[in-house]
Amino acid sequence: MIIVEACVDTLEEALDAQAGGAHRIELCANLAAEGTTPPSRRIRACVSRVALPVFVMIRPRAGSFIFADDEIELMLRQAHRARTLGARGLVVGALDHRGRIDSPAVAALVREAQGLPVTFHRAFDRVADPEAALDELASLGGSRVLTSGGAPTAMEGAAVLARLVRLAGDRIVVVAGGGVRAHNVREIVARTGVREVHGRFGTA
């Protein structure tokens, strides 16, 4: 079975995704800027009205994925809030100035999740060495990595995605994202071996 995660930024989109057969929701704000942390009222509404697991984006601002210490502290508070509001997972990402995983920040966020699954979002597609980054995230306790294989779309990055799936084994789940739609999802799965996909399936 292929797990379909729908990326949404409103309750209405979450309900539509549930009706359309999605298995999980990633809830964000500001999707035009690759997603930021949604407000508490939106988290609360989705958790209370959607039967699917709701994973909440934790990202304090748009722009780069290199965060200052005060921004990381804010992310930890946002993660705590999302968890206490009933999120079933967190979606995070932080890089350092050398294009590597910001391991201290990610480790702190995994601790704050207190056992909830943690997905590293498409900041992964900015890393200098994807295979080393995948190993690092697995060692930090990450549950999933959302990636297009470093390409504009998952279809274009299919070869890298397939290699990451093989490298990940059963240590961490590779989720294909980036241009994944109903019309191409089967081909992406066949070419990469992913078992989970992520997209905005209600949009063109």
Side-chain angles (χ1 to χ4, degrees):
M1 176 176 145
I2 303 303
I3 301 297
V4 175
E5 178 179 81
C7 183
V8 307
D9 61 3
T10 67
L11 171 62
E12 291 72 24
E13 286 184 355
L15 292 169
D16 286 347
Q18 177 173 264
H23 302 100
R24 187 171 66 235
I25 298 297
E26 182 192 284
L27 179 64
C28 307
N30 199 18
L31 276 174
E34 300 182 278
T36 56
T37 305
S40 295
R41 64 184 179 277
R42 195 175 307 167
I43 299 171
R44 189 179 294 110
C46 282
V47 166
S48 64
R49 294 189 55 189
V50 177
L52 303 176
V54 176
F55 285 18
V56 174
M57 169 72 80
I58 305 298
R59 185 181 177 213
R61 57 160 173 77
S64 83
F65 298 104
I66 301 170
F67 297 107
D69 289 346
D70 61 333
E71 292 176 315
I72 293 168
E73 288 298 322
L74 175 57
M75 293 167 74
L76 291 169
R77 294 195 297 273
Q78 291 175 334
H80 176 81
R81 182 185 70 200
R83 181 169 53 77
T84 58
L85 288 171
R88 299 276 294 280
L90 303 178
V91 182
V92 309
L95 304 177
D96 68 18
H97 289 279
R98 289 178 287 183
R100 302 187 306 189
I101 303 299
D102 183 342
S103 297
V106 173
L109 288 160
V110 169
R111 287 194 298 272
E112 182 57 55
Q114 294 193 8
L116 291 180
V118 174
T119 301
F120 195 93
H121 57 53
R122 285 191 63 196
F124 186 84
D125 290 322
R126 314 283 181 90
V127 300
D129 185 339
E131 295 187 7
L134 188 73
D135 285 338
E136 180 71 9
L137 289 170
S139 71
L140 290 169
S143 303
R144 293 176 177 82
V145 175
L146 173 62
T147 176
S148 63
T153 69
M155 189 69 78
E156 293 169 272
V160 173
L161 276 166
R163 189 165 70 249
L164 292 172
V165 168
R166 291 192 296 271
L167 178 65
D170 59 3
R171 298 178 301 149
I172 190 167
V173 176
V174 175
V175 185
V180 179
R181 298 291 185 266
H183 71 272
N184 63 15
V185 65
R186 290 183 184 276
E187 183 177 356
I188 290 169
V189 168
R191 291 178 60 181
T192 64
V194 297
R195 306 306 296 169
E196 300 194 11
V197 295
H198 167 103
R200 299 198 73 193
F201 294 96
T203 65

